[in-house]
Amino acid sequence: MQPITVLSIAGSDSGGGAGIQADLRTFAAFGVHGTTALTAVTAQNTLGVYDVSVLPTSLVISQVRCVVDDFDVASVKTGMLGDADVVESVADLAREGLLAHLVVDPVLISSTHHSLMRDGGVRAYREALFPLATVVTPNLREAAVLCDVDVRDISTIDDMHVLARQLLALGPRYVLVKGGHFAAAGFDALVPDVLVSRDEVVVFESPRVATTNDHGTGCSLSAALCAGLGLGRSVHDATRDAKSFVLAALQGASDWRLGHGRGPLDHLGWNQ
């Protein structure tokens, strides 16, 4: 047997915890061959993001075309895209039918609160890329920004449903609002993720892991979801499996001491 091929269009994390680096480790864990189109280079570690250089849009698109011209790419995810021009150009590729089973992780801000999207990116996501996505996977803060609401007003699961429905109205087949930042009575020990389509609402719950090693959680979940879709799983099953993978990766790294801030996950099961 030979592995199926998937593609990540995302930025680099010099600390190795998130971005392309996390995506490739996740792809390896799922037994798929990961290809990449780099969108940006960041100078970052576990403590924060210190510098960002967004690559020329033409180079990003050339990378994607080189990959899809040569490989049979079964599924694609986007992570950090950096600016509106890249978002719109990736949407053009999707419109051509080149980005199968597209998972859009709308990366807007790092876990250390550094902006990773230039002006105009939110509009470009809403108008250009979301309508072409199979699944959109914002975290709670990103969903609030995309829906132009204050994240502090999101206090119930029903509020998360409302956000997901607003994003679904923009055209993707599914929206997964991730609840890692969700804080409400009864959810101190649980993380709720809400998956919404036109036909159903599913709430996936997992134990909340007490750890500072959670850098790259969102990248890893969207990469795992992309891998699952590439392997032929339904969105529901791929989401369930991605949640289980991230939970195990958090648990495996819970006591690591890599760096002095928010460390990486145990993607490859070294402590499992």
Side-chain angles (χ1 to χ4, degrees):
M1 292 180 63
Q2 63 180 5
I4 64 100
T5 297
V6 298
L7 168 64
S8 172
I9 308 170
S12 170
D13 172 4
S14 56
I20 287 283
Q21 288 84 346
D23 292 346
L24 287 175
R25 286 200 299 275
T26 300
F27 293 157
F30 275 79
V32 299
H33 174 61
T35 60
T36 62
L38 196 64
T39 61
V41 176
T42 69
Q44 66 176 294
N45 54 29
T46 64
L47 297 172
V49 179
Y50 297 89
D51 201 2
V52 176
S53 180
V54 177
L55 297 184
T57 302
S58 60
L59 180 56
V60 175
I61 300 310
S62 292
Q63 292 175 79
V64 176
R65 289 194 180 279
C66 280
V67 170
V68 300
D69 283 350
D70 188 38
F71 294 86
D72 183 11
V73 177
S75 58
V76 180
K77 70 149 283 188
T78 67
M80 176 189 175
L81 297 181
D83 66 25
D85 191 42
V86 175
V87 175
E88 291 167 355
S89 295
V90 170
D92 289 339
L93 294 173
R95 203 170 290 111
E96 290 181 44
L98 300 180
L99 308 182
H101 300 296
L102 179 60
V103 178
V104 176
D105 187 10
V107 176
L108 302 177
I109 190 168
S110 74
S111 57
T112 53
H113 308 293
H114 188 287
S115 176
L116 298 177
M117 175 57 71
R118 295 174 180 171
D119 291 345
V122 169
R123 176 198 56 76
Y125 271 125
R126 289 170 174 161
E127 298 179 6
L129 194 53
F130 285 1
L132 302 165
T134 299
V135 192
V136 175
T137 65
N139 63 35
L140 197 60
R141 292 170 181 166
E142 290 161 345
V145 171
L146 290 160
C147 293
D148 198 26
V149 302
D150 191 327
V151 70
R152 292 171 296 185
D153 294 333
I154 309 304
S155 59
T156 68
I157 295 294
D158 285 343
D159 292 337
M160 293 179 69
H161 290 175
V162 170
L163 288 181
R165 288 290 183 193
Q166 288 184 41
L167 295 174
L168 191 71
L170 298 174
R173 288 178 52 206
Y174 291 83
V175 173
L176 177 68
V177 176
K178 299 172 293 190
H181 300 295
F182 185 69
F187 284 93
D188 294 338
L190 294 174
V191 175
D193 291 353
V194 177
L195 179 68
V196 173
S197 69
R198 286 161 182 77
D199 301 319
E200 65 176 346
V201 175
V202 181
V203 179
F204 295 90
E205 294 180 354
S206 61
R208 191 177 295 275
V209 180
T211 180
T212 58
N213 296 319
D214 56 5
H215 183 51
T217 305
C219 301
S220 303
L221 189 141
S222 58
L225 179 50
C226 174
L229 294 179
L231 290 166
R233 297 168 190 166
S234 68
V235 172
H236 183 282
D237 289 348
T239 301
R240 178 203 61 212
D241 293 346
K243 283 275 290 181
S244 297
F245 170 77
V246 169
L247 174 61
L250 284 165
Q251 291 171 331
S254 61
D255 294 325
W256 284 2
R257 295 294 181 266
L258 298 179
H260 297 86
R262 308 206 76 86
L265 311 185
D266 181 12
H267 294 95
L268 299 178
W270 292 337
N271 277 5
Q272 297 170 27

